[in-house]
Amino acid sequence: MAGRDLRALFSTNDRQLEVGEAFTNRQGQWQIVQAALGEHLARVTAPGFDVEDLEAPRTNILAFHGVGGIGKSTLSRTLESALAGAEGRPARWGEAAWPARPALLPVRIDLARAAGTDFERVILTLRLALAARIGKPLPAFDIALRRYWEHQHPGEPLEDYLSSGGLAARFGRALPQQMQSALSDVAQALLLPGTVGTAIGQLTGALTTALRERRQTVRALARCTRLADLLDADPDIDALSYYPHLLAWELAQLPADRAVVPVVLLDTFEDTGTRTHRDLERLLQRLVWLMPNAFFIVTGRSRLQWAEAAVEGQLDYTGPTAWPGLAGQTVPGPRPAASPTAAPASRQVLIGDFSAEDCTDYLDRRLVRNGRPLIGAGLRAVIAERSHGLPLYLDLAVLRYLELSRTGRTPTAADFDADFPALLTRTLADLTPDERHLLRAVTLLDAFDLPLATAAAGLPHLSAAARLVERPFVKHDAFALWPYHLHALIRSTLRTADDATDDRWTDTDWTRAADRALAALGAQWQAGSGLDRRLLTGCLRQGLALARDHRLELGWLTDAAWAYTDDYVWEPLPLPARDGGDDALTTAADALAELLSALARRQHEHRATTVTRLTGVLDTGLLPDELADMATYYRAKALRDLGHHEASRDGMRQVADRGGRLAPDAARGLAHLARGAGDFPTAAGTARTLGWPGRGQRVLGDIHFAHGDMTRAAAYFTAARTEAEDHGNLGEQAIAQANLALVTAFTDPARADDEIALAAQFLTGLDQRATSLTAQTAAIARDAGTPAGPEPARALRAAIHEAGITAAHTVLELALVFHHTVRGEQDDVQAAIDRLHALTESGDHGYYRDIAHCLAGLPLPASTTVWLDGPEEVRARWHQLVQDRRTHLGITE
């Protein structure tokens, strides 16, 4: 549907520019309306339907709600036009799905405060619309309304009110004449003398008496069983709210060929009041309840709470039994694959944002010159992306485009970097002070629950948060760690737009709220079991962002960082970009965020990149000593992986000498370095002192694997895995299991199948690059001697090169020496040994050359390796593995 956008029209001198009010999609909502209205028509025309049944549940309502600027009013206006006739229906919506009779009468009523609509005006609007369509009096209702009007507005003729208020111009002037006709007919039936227009009290008194006496002269009205009671009641606003029952009864008396079903569209419903002041809402709810043969379509920001028992006493008809369709909520897809055959069980429909296609469609048709979109395709794409699907943003962007065009230049993408303050104003408009305060607080959080939001706002009770999360700009994900998050565009606008509201926050207010939010996150993590990695990483992500952006002290983040590194799981910890794009490390939180990011990303980056990033963190001097130890230790690990053993040894020794939390890990690192240098007695002596904190069992397993003592190595790795399981350390379990798989791959291919599969299972959900490479190398060793043995080696070698882990290279080449020796492929054996020489020419991991010669039965090269039990025993063990594999495969020399 296209209308005229007067704001845009009066923003430019370009008379060739076509400015349309683009209405985009909403076909899904139209299909819901069709289905619900079809069911309603079938119900009210079925035998046995009783308009005077005041106890039956009501299903004559459909409510659309959504964030401000989503297009609810446009939807309401378009539905009114579509229901009025085919000429007002968007072509894409297709034909109507209901019969020609009874006829539909759409009546749209804007409840916005600016429209000045009160309950009297609602009732008069509905009656005027019926007067224009039906063309005859509705005596039961008309008499009661006339009595009310003359009592409440003495000396003010109804005709003058209708003319001055614009209602007569909208619907015509038939109502006063129809009311006068109804009064005259009743006066004649009662044989009353004189002019009844000035004797309404006398007429209603006589009519009430006649109804109670069941006189034949008023037998038609006597069928309306509650008319006498309503005429007896004081004619105040409360009584007026029950008169719709009379209107419903009159409509039910119409003959089939003149039957009319009003479809009342109540727009801007949020302006009917607040959750503690529901006076107008109470009257409107009576209107809906008392007119079960009419259909109501409500559009507003908030969902209707009528089905909740908690509003009992504030409203007359409450609970899920009374309003079965309002107890749930559904979010229809913007482009359903097919028209639904029945209305959704829930009549409470959240209108979602525009899809990407809808945004493009809107901008294509909003401003047009000579049949082509005025805004270029590239800029349309930028605006659509930044809108996050919010139609109000698109509308404001169009106006900004016209404003910038008046300067004589073509707007660019940079012109739309800023948010629109109008979004902030529209969002805050109908919130209570506590809700506004809380909304600002939760913009600091990616996601939240009620306690977290309340603590961030510093409020003493959860009620404001409970109300806020029912607002349509708060999204809900029941499966998320924290179930609520703000609409992305609303959140960014509240954080960055110029805030000219009376209760705007100062910089100090924002900092205090961030400090409260950080403390609340820490309290949630510390109250957890300690084993919930999801909670840990969630709190770390949000907490680091808060501390970084608001220059807060680290506090509990230090302990959380240690908990994050303890399990070797390495989930990614991506933080949102800092406002302004400045990535400089200026606070301890900056440095800690970069430290943990580098540790997580090292599973996907070359170890040289890890060294560079960690060096940058250490050079800032921003971290406290214990966290500086963390950076130093993991840099030393990365240096070892790169083959820079002296630099690695210096870092490990520095951490070990400080005696901090990582001292046992650093001692393990020194043992690994001693093993890499071929000093096995030193490595073994250190390993025996490590215990669980230093992962001593795993280090001993590495040492005995190098000696070819696979039985003892397997026992140590199994013990290491059991220790890790006892301590609930999933990452260590995976490391021990991958090493166990590597050991069994050299000795028992059948068992290795199970151990490799278990390693893969342990690695699921973890981010351990080096451990994954070990498991893949185990698969190559398991297949040694078979035709498939070396096939995956090329891809694995490339992955190891990308990671920059020298030790993984040497183990892979050792597995290939094993494979080619078993098969007797001497040239390939020598090529693998040559690669090992190149990898270990610095002297580090030189013992792998010795082992390769042992496997191949070649003379040992000159070596500085110091074995635990002599080179000949080592040689015999490794060479026996070749003989065992040949026997297993049936290979003869």
Side-chain angles (χ1 to χ4, degrees):
M1 173 184 177
R4 298 297 286 168
D5 182 354
L6 296 181
R7 287 180 305 161
L9 184 66
F10 281 86
S11 297
T12 177
N13 293 329
D14 187 352
R15 298 300 297 152
Q16 293 182 318
L17 183 65
E18 298 177 29
V19 180
E21 183 183 50
F23 180 74
T24 301
N25 191 21
R26 301 308 185 201
Q27 188 170 349
Q29 284 76 36
W30 169 246
Q31 291 173 339
I32 291 172
V33 169
Q34 284 196 97
L37 193 48
E39 287 187 7
H40 176 75
L41 292 173
R43 184 179 304 108
V44 300
T45 56
F49 176 75
D50 182 4
V51 76
E52 292 191 290
D53 184 351
L54 298 182
E55 297 180 357
R58 294 302 194 251
T59 57
N60 60 328
I61 188 167
L62 184 59
F64 293 107
H65 65 106
V67 66
I70 203 68
K72 300 179 297 296
S73 292
T74 304
L75 173 64
S76 181
R77 289 192 296 270
T78 308
L79 287 173
E80 180 188 29
S81 297
L83 294 168
E87 64 279 1
R89 190 179 307 132
R92 70 185 72 183
W93 283 10
E95 296 297 322
W98 45 77
R101 289 292 178 186
L104 299 182
L105 175 60
V107 185
R108 182 174 177 273
I109 302 173
D110 188 354
L111 299 171
R113 295 186 187 97
T117 303
D118 57 14
F119 189 69
E120 279 186 356
R121 191 175 179 88
V122 170
I123 296 297
L124 289 172
T125 299
L126 183 54
R127 179 62 185 94
L128 279 162
L130 289 167
R133 171 62 67 89
I134 297 173
K136 65 183 291 291
L138 303 175
F141 177 83
D142 290 348
I143 292 170
L145 178 61
R146 189 73 181 206
R147 176 172 178 257
Y148 167 85
W149 189 263
E150 295 202 1
H151 189 274
Q152 293 294 326
H153 299 269
E156 181 183 6
L158 178 59
E159 294 84 343
D160 293 349
Y161 176 85
L162 297 178
S163 296
S164 63
L167 291 175
R170 178 181 174 187
F171 295 105
R173 302 176 180 274
L175 177 58
Q177 291 77 12
Q178 291 180 16
M179 293 181 70
Q180 187 66 32
S181 176
L183 294 173
S184 298
D185 291 345
V186 172
Q188 185 175 358
L190 295 173
L191 302 177
L192 293 177
T195 304
V196 297
T198 58
I200 187 66
Q202 179 186 355
L203 183 144
T204 54
L207 177 58
T208 302
T209 300
L211 291 172
R212 296 197 185 283
E213 294 175 355
R214 301 185 179 276
R215 296 180 193 170
Q216 284 298 311
T217 55
V218 292
R219 62 182 179 278
L221 290 177
R223 292 199 301 269
C224 183
T225 57
R226 295 178 178 87
L227 175 57
D229 296 312
L230 288 173
L231 293 177
D232 258 348
D234 290 337
D236 54 17
I237 190 70
D238 194 59
L240 179 66
S241 68
Y242 289 99
Y243 293 176
H245 171 73
L246 304 177
L247 200 56
W249 182 84
E250 289 283 10
L251 289 174
Q253 310 313 307
L254 294 174
D257 61 345
R258 300 185 65 181
V260 170
V261 172
V263 181
V264 185
L265 300 107
L266 299 174
D267 190 26
T268 326
F269 202 83
E270 68 272 11
D271 278 3
T272 59
T274 67
R275 299 181 183 208
T276 53
H277 299 89
R278 298 179 182 265
D279 296 338
L280 179 55
E281 183 181 3
R282 184 188 190 107
L283 301 178
L284 291 170
Q285 193 209 42
R286 285 181 188 163
L287 168 67
V288 178
W289 186 270
L290 296 173
M291 295 193 70
N293 49 351
F295 192 76
F296 294 83
I297 301 176
V298 173
T299 45
R301 292 192 179 190
S302 304
R303 65 182 182 85
L304 296 178
Q305 295 181 296
W306 299 354
E308 297 180 11
V311 297
E312 183 178 357
Q314 291 182 293
L315 302 174
D316 291 345
Y317 311 98
T318 59
T321 301
W323 305 96
L326 299 182
Q329 172 173 307
T330 182
V331 183
R335 296 182 184 273
S339 298
T341 58
S346 173
R347 298 295 178 85
Q348 193 102 253
V349 181
L350 177 65
I351 302 180
D353 300 334
F354 279 175
S355 66
E357 295 87 349
D358 293 335
C359 292
T360 302
D361 189 27
Y362 179 97
L363 294 170
D364 285 350
R365 297 188 288 117
R366 186 67 164 76
L367 297 176
V368 177
R369 181 190 290 130
N370 299 325
R372 300 174 63 86
L374 179 64
I375 304 175
L379 185 53
R380 292 201 307 273
V382 169
I383 294 172
E385 180 181 1
R386 291 179 181 169
S387 75
H388 291 274
L390 189 64
L392 177 58
Y393 181 94
L394 299 174
D395 185 52
L396 294 171
V398 165
L399 295 177
R400 176 170 288 179
Y401 183 93
L402 291 174
E403 179 184 350
L404 294 170
S405 296
R406 290 202 300 270
T407 66
R409 67 178 179 85
T410 301
T412 65
D415 294 317
F416 295 86
D417 282 341
D419 292 310
F420 294 101
L423 285 173
L424 184 150
T425 304
R426 291 281 295 274
T427 301
L428 297 177
D430 60 338
L431 301 183
T432 66
D434 275 357
E435 289 169 349
R436 291 158 71 100
H437 181 75
L438 194 139
L439 178 60
R440 287 189 171 94
V442 297
T443 62
L444 297 167
L445 299 164
D446 294 333
F448 57 92
D449 56 18
L450 300 188
L452 183 56
T454 301
L459 296 176
H461 46 73
L462 297 176
S463 57
R467 294 194 304 270
L468 185 73
V469 298
E470 293 180 351
R471 300 284 182 169
F473 51 74
V474 178
K475 308 301 182 181
H476 182 252
D477 180 358
F479 301 103
L481 177 59
W482 292 285
Y484 303 107
H485 65 276
L486 291 181
H487 185 288
L489 185 59
I490 299 299
R491 183 186 180 207
S492 68
T493 301
L494 287 166
R495 291 285 303 277
T496 61
D498 293 336
D499 189 345
T501 57
D502 293 339
D503 57 353
R504 62 186 177 274
W505 278 9
T506 65
D507 291 342
T508 301
D509 292 327
W510 284 107
T511 300
R512 287 174 176 169
D515 196 34
R516 291 192 299 264
L518 180 63
L521 285 166
Q524 285 201 359
W525 171 61
Q526 290 161 347
S529 66
L531 301 177
D532 189 342
R533 295 286 300 186
R534 189 167 172 238
L535 178 62
L536 167 64
T537 56
C539 290
L540 262 176
R541 283 192 194 97
Q542 298 218 69
L544 282 170
L546 287 166
R548 179 199 67 182
D549 295 344
H550 297 274
R551 308 181 75 86
L552 305 177
E553 297 295 328
L554 293 180
W556 62 269
L557 289 169
T558 297
D559 288 336
W562 285 110
Y564 172 74
T565 59
D566 280 348
D567 287 348
Y568 314 146
V569 177
W570 311 119
E571 304 94 330
L573 287 171
L575 300 187
R578 189 198 305 271
D579 294 339
D582 184 6
D583 293 330
L585 305 183
T586 58
T587 68
D590 287 326
L592 179 56
E594 173 65 7
L595 166 60
L596 296 182
S597 174
L599 297 186
R601 287 295 303 163
R602 72 196 176 103
Q603 308 302 326
H604 307 278
E605 295 175 340
H606 195 280
R607 288 299 197 262
T609 302
T610 303
V611 169
T612 300
R613 293 183 67 178
L614 293 178
T615 299
V617 170
L618 288 166
D619 287 348
T620 66
L622 294 169
L623 291 175
D625 288 345
E626 59 178 328
L627 290 176
D629 272 359
M630 183 186 293
T632 301
Y633 168 73
Y634 281 102
R635 182 178 65 172
K637 281 193 69 175
L639 288 167
R640 187 187 73 206
D641 290 338
L642 292 168
H644 304 322
H645 288 78
E646 283 305 316
S648 175
R649 190 174 288 107
D650 288 343
M652 292 294 183
R653 188 172 292 116
Q654 178 182 340
V655 175
D657 289 347
R658 283 184 181 169
R661 297 197 206 195
L662 284 173
D665 299 82
R668 180 178 72 253
L670 291 171
H672 283 315
L673 288 164
R675 174 172 58 85
D679 185 358
F680 284 104
T682 298
T686 302
R688 294 188 187 98
T689 68
L690 295 177
W692 161 249
R695 313 301 189 256
Q697 301 277 17
R698 171 156 59 88
V699 178
L700 288 169
D702 288 332
I703 292 170
H704 288 286
F705 170 77
H707 286 72
D709 190 348
M710 301 305 187
T711 300
R712 294 180 71 183
Y716 280 120
F717 286 134
T718 301
R721 185 187 66 192
T722 301
E723 260 188 342
E725 184 178 3
D726 291 343
H727 286 83
N729 192 313
L730 299 178
E732 179 63 24
Q733 272 185 271
I735 296 171
Q737 180 58 37
N739 285 330
L740 179 59
L742 181 65
V743 168
T744 57
F746 279 92
T747 60
D748 187 346
R751 179 185 171 188
D753 280 337
D754 295 334
E755 302 295 357
I756 292 170
L758 185 56
Q761 180 180 332
F762 283 166
L763 282 166
T764 300
L766 304 185
D767 205 355
Q768 292 186 344
R769 196 177 197 180
T771 306
S772 177
L773 297 175
T774 300
Q776 294 175 65
T777 302
I780 291 175
R782 176 200 60 196
D783 296 335
T786 69
E791 287 304 316
R794 183 176 299 176
L796 181 55
R797 188 180 289 115
I800 292 171
H801 178 75
E802 182 182 353
I805 303 177
T806 302
H809 267 295
T810 58
V811 178
L812 172 60
E813 298 302 338
L814 185 67
L816 291 173
V817 170
F818 181 46
H819 167 73
H820 294 304
T821 301
V822 171
R823 293 181 64 83
E825 298 165 344
Q826 295 305 316
D827 290 345
D828 291 322
V829 169
Q830 190 58 53
I833 290 177
D834 290 343
R835 290 193 294 271
L836 268 174
H837 275 273
L839 288 168
T840 60
E841 60 183 351
S842 67
D844 293 314
H845 294 105
Y847 65 88
Y848 277 105
R849 290 174 300 180
D850 300 351
I851 296 173
H853 284 77
C854 294
L855 281 170
L858 299 175
L860 289 174
S863 174
T864 59
T865 302
V866 181
W867 302 99
L868 294 178
D869 44 10
E872 291 307 318
E873 288 189 40
V874 173
R875 180 186 183 89
R877 291 193 198 103
W878 279 106
H879 193 63
Q880 185 60 45
L881 294 176
V882 174
Q883 301 304 322
D884 292 345
R885 182 60 57 91
R886 285 176 171 168
T887 300
H888 173 73
L889 295 173
I891 298 174
T892 57
E893 296 193 36

